[in-house]
Amino acid sequence: MPRQHYRRGATAGESGRNPAGTVEPLVAYELHVSSSSVKRIITGRVRFMNLYRILPTALLAVLLLSSHPVLADTDKTSIATVKDARLDQKLDFSADGQRISEVFARISQSTGVTLAAGLDANDWMVRDRKVILYVKAMPLRDLMREVSSLLHFEWRVMGDGDKRTYGLWQDDASYAEEQSLRTSAEDAKTKQFREKREGVLSDMASVVALSKADSAKLASSDPWRYVLATDALGKDVVAFFKSFPDARKGFVDGSEVSFSVATLSPELQGVVKSIAESYESLSRRIGEQGDHSELLSKFDKLQIIINRHTLKDTAAMTSGSMLGGISISNGQDTLFVPIFDPSSSMAKALGRAIVNLQTGLSKDEVANRLQKDLAEASTAPSAAAKDPASTSTDPAIATQIALFNTDTIAPLPTVLKSLAAKTGMNVISDYFPSKPATITGGVKSLGKQLEVIRSAYGSTCEKTGRILKFRDKEWFSKRAWEIPQVWLDYWAVSAKQNNGLPISDLVQIAKLRDAQLDNAIATNPVLVGAGAGEAVRNREILRFYGSLTFDQQKQAATQRLSVSSLTDDQWKALQKALSTKGAAYAAAEKGNQFIQYTQSGTDMVENHFAYYPADNEPAVEFKVSTGGVYGLADMNTNK
């Protein structure tokens, strides 16, 4: 199978050298040899990573089309009809979330039947798919059929007789289906959240317009709406979004947008200040200790951020209780005003706490009640699950089993391993690494246990005879989060050699897309333990640093880098980084500002990025910790 390898471009500042002293991984983009497949790779899969330019690959692919045979989608094979007695052998096998290429290597060794994943060794989008398998006495043919069905891939047969081999691949129809599902899901989710946010803003406008008498009626039945109706905060937030269309659009779209207070009209500045003061007052009433008086005293240096990115992965956001928020920041201090769905359990719990304080309950009593209410709110969805045993005609669904004796926090492979052991059934699942979930202990019907698993891990479950097959509900979206295993392995080796990830690796990691950082890097315990969390938290300043040329990095490290020397794209990257610090005011226009980069420490290195808005103003500082030293001495060598 023809293919071309391209070496990953060195991060700016590396001068083509690897500080770890190892060979960088080769990022291989496979070239399918059908016209539709080449188009798919060029326009689809490579775009998932969107890190490095691949125009030479695309041009080479076009040239190859005229000289290589075509692998048509019709080459796919139904395993059920293949006459190969070797596929009827039964096997016991387990895999706790391994890559399908590794699984096939083990199966091939134990059965003598060669199974391969992907069109070639570089087809990482197939080879790196992860599966969970716990099967006993299962015919190989059945296992192959279930795996291809689970992953939406196809089999092709190569060779004859006992030398026949089997390859799992993704045909064009399957790829088109995946793309369609992803697009449809994103469109549906975007529409759903837009409508929900629009509805909440309309609802708030109606609530704050209620009379005192009507507002008072909400105290017991709808406490959060009561708070919005009676506290100045509700009216201020409604006035803000009503008079600031750009902010309203950002909130409704779910986008992160920022504005400098200094650029707003005096009337709108007054609304922003009122929001900050009314929220500060409300916070103090419920016992919060924060003091933002210093923040409000420097009003001309404030920045407003709608739907701040760092808040998107909080429990409240993922549960749907918090729909967004308004951050008011000066670069050192931030006041965050959350915007809740008034109908959510979390909003009602907070509203009850405020009402209880107003009725004279002590802060300790209110705090204890609030903690209990919030705990109940977070478990409400799973508690509402019905027992399928009451409606299913399958007697196995009513079987009573205990996955764990007590409540247990566990990853999906551990739970499914217990399920297979307790039921004696063959269990198969795809796998996208994620945080462990809490599984309630004790005896329940199999149907109820399946509902618990589905709710906890976001899976679907299909039972066919003695086979339980799980699939992630959002598999088509999570596919776009994945990162080639060769990159992950390289970073893990680099971290081991350097006693942590050096700054050059963090810059490379930061160049990943936000979805990959938040879902693939942030959930990788090896890389997070090696310091990759710094790249997740400081992605924008690292992206800016990575956009600099070697000479610019050298200038920032040895003297100071003038902002006037930045290109338009570099300036935009710097503005975005400053926005994460609530300091957009400091980069309203390009002038005499400058940047310095320093390092301190030995075992644990602190990388300091300091942006100076003016000679007489304090710097906006970024700090990135690394376990390895990418020495400044290298900056003084010739390229």
Side-chain angles (χ1 to χ4, degrees):
M1 188 64 59
R3 57 187 180 272
Q4 181 74 20
H5 297 268
Y6 286 94
R7 184 179 183 277
R8 239 184 340 152
T11 300
E14 289 183 47
S15 188
R17 297 184 304 278
N18 184 334
T22 60
V23 177
E24 287 192 83
L26 292 178
V27 179
Y29 296 108
E30 70 274 31
L31 299 181
H32 294 229
V33 291
S34 69
S35 59
S36 56
S37 293
V38 170
K39 179 180 178 183
R40 183 173 86 224
I41 293 304
I42 295 172
T43 62
R45 293 185 181 179
V46 173
R47 187 165 61 233
F48 282 166
M49 304 313 301
N50 197 25
L51 292 177
Y52 310 102
R53 299 186 184 279
I54 58 159
L55 182 58
T57 308
L59 294 175
L60 180 61
V62 173
L63 295 175
L64 287 171
L65 287 177
S66 61
S67 59
H68 288 278
V70 171
L71 176 62
D73 286 356
T74 54
D75 289 348
K76 59 189 179 183
T77 302
S78 172
I79 291 300
T81 61
V82 173
K83 295 181 179 180
D84 187 344
R86 298 177 304 162
L87 303 187
D88 297 325
Q89 60 182 299
K90 297 181 178 180
L91 73 159
D92 296 350
F93 191 84
S94 64
D96 55 0
Q98 288 180 293
R99 297 162 61 212
I100 194 65
S101 56
E102 297 170 339
V103 168
F104 283 177
R106 290 171 54 202
I107 292 177
S108 299
Q109 185 175 21
S110 65
T111 64
V113 180
T114 300
L115 306 182
L119 287 174
D120 59 31
N122 304 303
D123 192 357
W124 69 271
M125 288 295 291
V126 173
R127 292 175 58 80
D128 286 356
R129 282 300 302 271
K130 296 179 177 64
V131 294
I132 300 170
L133 303 174
Y134 298 109
V135 302
K136 289 186 177 295
M138 189 173 190
L140 177 57
R141 186 188 307 272
D142 292 350
L143 180 59
M144 292 170 65
R145 183 182 64 246
E146 293 296 339
V147 167
S148 64
S149 170
L150 172 71
L151 301 180
H152 289 258
F153 293 157
E154 301 291 343
W155 287 102
R156 58 191 177 111
V157 181
M158 298 156 284
D160 299 303
D162 289 344
K163 296 187 180 298
R164 187 178 293 164
T165 62
Y166 300 87
L168 191 69
W169 66 299
Q170 183 176 38
D171 67 349
D172 288 339
S174 172
Y175 184 75
E177 177 195 20
E178 179 182 320
Q179 290 280 63
S180 177
L181 287 171
R182 181 159 47 245
T183 301
S184 297
E186 289 172 354
D187 289 346
K189 186 176 291 186
T190 298
K191 181 180 178 181
Q192 177 186 1
F193 278 106
R194 278 184 59 86
E195 291 175 349
K196 191 169 187 178
R197 292 186 178 104
E198 284 276 19
V200 165
L201 292 184
S202 297
D203 180 80
M204 290 176 63
S206 299
V207 167
V208 300
L210 292 175
S211 65
K212 288 186 178 180
D214 289 336
S215 298
K217 296 175 183 176
L218 299 174
S220 58
S221 62
D222 208 335
W224 185 248
R225 285 189 172 92
Y226 169 78
V227 172
L228 293 175
T230 58
D231 194 271
L233 178 64
K235 295 179 176 61
D236 292 336
V237 170
V238 168
F240 173 74
F241 283 117
K242 183 178 180 180
S243 55
F244 198 178
D246 288 344
R248 180 188 178 96
K249 183 179 184 302
F251 172 73
V252 171
D253 289 345
S255 306
E256 179 180 326
V257 292
S258 61
F259 310 92
S260 172
V261 169
T263 64
L264 304 181
S265 67
E267 293 78 13
L268 202 48
Q269 288 185 18
V271 173
V272 172
K273 190 167 187 178
S274 184
I275 288 175
E277 291 172 343
S278 56
Y279 186 74
E280 182 88 335
S281 173
L282 179 62
S283 298
R284 288 201 187 99
R285 292 206 302 274
I286 61 176
E288 287 196 15
Q289 303 299 317
D291 181 5
H292 298 287
S293 56
E294 179 83 9
L295 171 73
L296 299 180
S297 69
K298 300 177 180 178
F299 204 70
D300 60 327
K301 298 294 179 67
L302 294 183
Q303 178 182 1
I304 304 167
I305 306 172
I306 307 299
N307 301 331
R308 190 165 188 174
H309 174 84
T310 53
L311 296 161
K312 289 183 180 178
D313 56 356
T314 63
M317 287 292 282
T318 55
S319 69
S321 297
M322 191 191 302
L323 301 180
I326 304 170
S327 296
I328 303 172
S329 175
N330 64 2
Q332 285 78 40
D333 186 17
T334 298
L335 186 152
F336 176 66
V337 181
I339 300 177
F340 291 104
D341 174 1
S343 301
S344 68
S345 299
M346 184 170 291
K348 291 180 178 178
L350 292 171
R352 265 194 303 273
I354 295 170
V355 172
N356 287 337
L357 283 171
Q358 292 175 346
T359 59
L361 286 181
S362 70
K363 289 185 178 180
D364 288 341
E365 289 178 291
V366 171
N368 291 334
R369 175 62 188 273
L370 178 59
Q371 185 176 12
K372 181 180 178 181
D373 286 348
L374 291 178
E376 291 177 354
S378 64
T379 58
S382 58
K386 295 182 179 179
D387 189 344
S390 62
T391 57
S392 175
T393 58
D394 184 348
I397 292 296
T399 303
Q400 300 292 308
I401 61 169
L403 294 178
F404 305 102
N405 293 329
T406 59
D407 291 358
T408 301
I409 300 175
L412 181 60
T414 300
V415 175
L416 295 189
K417 184 176 184 178
S418 176
L419 179 66
K422 298 298 176 66
T423 63
M425 295 184 183
N426 292 321
V427 177
I428 300 172
S429 176
D430 60 0
Y431 183 53
F432 297 90
S434 60
K435 295 178 181 178
T438 300
I439 302 298
T440 54
V443 176
K444 303 180 186 68
S445 72
L446 172 59
K448 181 64 174 177
Q449 297 285 22
L450 296 181
E451 284 295 327
V452 169
I453 295 172
R454 283 193 287 235
S455 175
Y457 299 98
S459 302
T460 63
C461 179
E462 174 185 335
K463 182 180 181 297
T464 306
R466 301 294 296 173
I467 298 174
L468 289 170
K469 184 164 64 179
F470 294 83
R471 179 184 289 121
D472 195 294
K473 289 180 180 178
E474 298 182 347
W475 67 271
F476 41 83
S477 296
K478 294 181 180 180
R479 286 269 283 159
W481 302 347
E482 294 184 306
I483 300 169
Q485 189 65 37
V486 65
W487 295 9
L488 300 175
D489 291 343
Y490 164 71
W491 286 322
V493 170
S494 176
K496 186 175 181 180
Q497 292 179 337
N498 291 283
N499 192 31
L501 289 165
I503 189 68
S504 57
D505 286 343
L506 294 186
V507 168
Q508 288 181 332
I509 292 171
K511 289 182 179 179
L512 294 168
R513 292 182 295 105
D514 287 338
Q516 293 169 314
L517 288 171
D518 295 334
N519 298 287
I521 297 297
T523 59
N524 186 307
V526 173
L527 292 182
V528 170
E534 290 290 298
V536 176
R537 290 186 291 273
N538 298 288
R539 66 190 71 178
E540 299 301 347
I541 190 62
L542 290 171
R543 286 168 176 170
F544 163 70
Y545 183 66
S547 74
L548 300 179
T549 65
F550 177 83
D551 286 339
Q552 287 175 316
Q553 288 189 348
K554 181 178 179 180
Q555 185 74 15
T558 57
Q559 300 177 38
R560 66 185 195 180
L561 176 65
S562 173
V563 164
S564 62
S565 69
L566 301 181
T567 66
D568 288 344
D569 286 343
Q570 291 171 339
W571 174 240
K572 289 177 183 177
L574 178 58
Q575 287 178 311
K576 198 166 185 180
L578 290 169
S579 177
T580 66
K581 282 286 189 178
Y585 69 89
E589 58 183 31
K590 193 189 295 186
N592 296 322
Q593 309 97 319
F594 62 91
I595 305 153
Q596 286 186 321
Y597 168 61
T598 58
Q599 285 183 338
S600 61
T602 53
D603 293 335
M604 179 61 72
V605 178
E606 300 289 353
N607 300 271
H608 298 269
F609 301 88
Y611 170 83
Y612 292 87
D615 289 332
N616 60 343
E617 290 194 31
V620 179
E621 296 184 341
F622 301 82
K623 183 177 72 174
V624 180
S625 300
T626 60
V629 179
Y630 185 56
L632 292 180
D634 289 344
M635 294 293 188
N636 298 316
T637 60
N638 294 326
K639 292 181 284 182

